[in-house]
Amino acid sequence: MRRAPTARWLGICSAALLSACQGPSEGKGASGGGPAAETGSPGGDGVDSGLLDASLTLGAVQTCAEPLPGPAYTEQGAALGFLPRDSDDGSRLGGSSLAALDLDQDGDLDIVEARRGSIPRVYWREGAQFAPRTLLPAPADGRVRPLDLDNDGWIDLVQTDPDFWWRGGPRGIEPRQRLRIGDGELGVIDLLPLDLNHDGTLELFAAVQSMDEAPDPRRDGVLWGDLTEGWALEALPAPESAGNAAHASAIDWDQDGDLEVMVTNDMGGRFGGNQLWAAEDGWLLPRAAPGCLPTVSGMGQTFGDVDNDGDEDIYIGATFEPKLLRHEDDHSCVDLTAATGANPLVERAPSLGPMVWAAVFLDHDNDGRLDLLLTEGDLINPPGEGATLPAYPSPIDLLVQQPDGTFVDRGAALGLAREGSHRAALAEDLNEDGVLDLLVAETDRPLQVYLSTGCIAAAHLRIEAPEGTVARVQIDGVERFGVVRAEQGVGAWRSPSLHLGLGAAEAVDRIELRAPSGAMIAVDGPISTRRTLRWTP
């Protein structure tokens, strides 16, 4: 057994190889890192691009000659080449996985989609279209997660149920191999890559889902091992509070540089509430976070600074009662759901079992206030397969934050689907116009891709950096805060990045970045907005 006092989050790729997994960069220099590095102004009026530091580059400023008054979308999923589920047994019980990544490192984003009961697919970007490739022969029951399992700099795909992995490399995704997680009987629903002892060897946090009434089969744990020998699970303590995992995320909850793992549990009233695990004394132990770990029938969580106070808040998707939780200075939480109108399910009939499946914090209109993309999904069984809930027309909600902190749903006004059974969701700028496009998985229909129809007047800044990098951006004496993340809600991933909406700001005064490794950098402006900043310490 290997233990250490802290855990390091490796994200989709190993920390040493992140630059290789983020696609090509303009003018990339030698690796930086170490103590904080300072650069001066980028020069002139702040619109220069190119090399600012050995580890930091700025992309060109995006022009917007005829800005729209606000975001507008058109749904293009089927037209772009995405396909419906390859088999339909009538069940909507299953989840989905969704990723937007440059798998072949050719400079554009490829899409991974997996739906329960169907063969996972990779959609390779080919010009303006996406060409599907089926990953035979294992139908997905668990999620298909991207991570660099063999630490070679290429993104692999890992399926938790059944346990397989597809190796990434120059030729794309190689044929599958058995992953050999434990004895094959574990209900692992989520995996997080860790390096618990900082030896460069990958360990995996395993979030376990089971309907067993006894606590032991539901205990989350750490998987030790490798691809040659397989992984063995060491269960975490406190079996009396073992939940029924639906989603696990890495977060530096108290911003002390050490990792915590937050787990959202399903059917909390029956199996136990959500959990926060912290690295203490060489192991992961339960940590108290009053008000932050509700007992709900949870699907998953997302993180973002919804009140612009310099720390990450939480939104938890759940059946009946999703939660918006504000992170307080003492690292407790206050429930703002009712006060802000952040629960769209109050409009649904309880008899339908309505649920928010996926939740994503995003700034869809670049106004500097975080909004919420929420997917609702029903739960029905095919005839003869147990209890059946009625289907309900589950919409996609886009809750837009108002200046007073309340939310208004503009999903219908923006043309988002009002009927379906929706699952994982991503916000990513596929057409590179500075507006986040919306990708939403559906149980039966093709992936729904809501492409923005043009740029908008409000500005943005995109930051690409190692997973977990903390960014602080100063504009006219006001600081904006965000964390670079690969995960976007339950079952969804992208290349590690942060999209900051900046309103009318044409330039920022200062950017400070701090990576989980301790590397830091600060850049003084003016630095023009509407561009990408890439840091590879």
Side-chain angles (χ1 to χ4, degrees), residues 287-345:
R287 172 173 173 171
C292 307
L293 305 170
T295 298
V296 293
S297 292
M299 299 296 105
Q301 65 265 326
T302 189
F303 305 100
D305 187 5
V306 74
D307 55 356
N308 286 330
D309 68 346
D311 54 30
E312 289 196 295
D313 309 296
I314 314 171
Y315 193 94
I316 300 172
T319 304
F320 301 121
E321 46 182 349
K323 300 286 187 183
L324 174 61
L325 305 176
R326 185 180 66 202
H327 188 168
E328 302 293 280
D329 290 342
D330 62 358
H331 306 304
S332 64
C333 290
V334 172
D335 189 342
L336 297 182
T337 317
T340 60
N343 179 9
L345 302 185

Side-chain angles (χ1 to χ4, degrees), residues 343-431:
N343 179 9
L345 302 185
V346 296
E347 305 294 331
R348 319 287 177 243
S351 61
L352 300 175
M355 64 173 59
V356 170
W357 193 284
V360 176
F361 275 122
L362 76 164
D363 189 348
H364 92 290
D365 53 5
N366 291 343
D367 67 354
R369 294 186 293 268
L370 285 185
D371 312 307
L372 279 162
L373 175 65
L374 308 178
T375 67
E376 297 185 40
D378 59 26
L379 286 177
I380 61 172
N381 284 308
E385 294 195 9
T388 298
L389 285 170
Y392 79 97
S394 312
I396 303 170
D397 307 305
L398 183 57
L399 303 189
V400 179
Q401 188 178 174
Q402 306 302 298
D404 63 358
T406 60
F407 290 90
V408 174
D409 185 11
R410 295 200 64 232
L414 290 170
L416 305 189
R418 312 315 292 163
E419 294 187 5
S421 187
H422 303 102
R423 296 297 187 260
L426 273 173
E428 182 60 283
D429 187 3
L430 293 182
N431 56 11

Side-chain angles (χ1 to χ4, degrees), residues 62 109 427-439 451-452 460 462 494 499:
Q62 296 174 340
L109 293 177
E428 182 60 283
D429 187 3
L430 293 182
N431 56 11
E432 298 182 349
D433 63 358
V435 179
L436 290 171
D437 305 301
L438 312 178
L439 290 75
L451 286 178
S452 63
H460 75 286
R462 178 183 174 93
R494 62 180 181 183
H499 180 103

Side-chain angles (χ1 to χ4, degrees), residues 76-89:
Q76 297 287 321
L80 289 171
F82 295 101
L83 303 174
R85 184 161 61 158
D86 55 19
S87 62
D88 184 2
D89 61 0

Side-chain angles (χ1 to χ4, degrees), residues 16 29 91 96 132 136 156-157 185 188 216 251 283 297 300 316 320 330 336-337 347 382 414 417 423 441 470 499 520:
S91 171
S96 64
L136 294 171
D156 310 312
L157 299 177
E185 300 301 320
V188 177
D216 277 350
I251 184 171
W283 193 227
S297 292
I316 300 172
F320 301 121
D330 62 358
L336 297 182
T337 317
E347 305 294 331
L414 290 170
R423 296 297 187 260
V470 173
H499 180 103
M520 298 178 65

Side-chain angles (χ1 to χ4, degrees), residues 90-178:
S91 171
R92 295 180 180 175
L93 286 176
S96 64
S97 308
L98 185 60
L101 304 159
D102 187 1
L103 291 174
D104 51 5
Q105 298 185 26
D106 65 351
D108 54 32
L109 293 177
D110 310 299
I111 305 296
V112 180
E113 186 183 19
R115 286 173 279 195
R116 186 172 180 177
S118 287
I119 303 295
R121 293 187 179 114
V122 174
Y123 290 86
W124 300 102
R125 183 69 179 263
E126 295 183 357
Q129 295 290 113
F130 289 86
R133 175 186 170 189
T134 302
L135 296 178
L136 294 171
D141 282 325
R143 293 183 188 127
V144 174
R145 192 199 198 288
L147 61 91
D148 185 3
L149 193 64
D150 54 0
N151 200 33
D152 67 351
W154 293 90
I155 301 170
D156 310 312
L157 299 177
V158 177
Q159 182 171 302
T160 56
D161 185 14
D163 306 329
F164 293 104
W165 75 292
W166 291 268
R167 184 177 182 181
R171 294 180 294 175
I173 300 297
E174 303 288 340
R176 68 175 178 85
Q177 300 177 40
R178 278 303 307 271

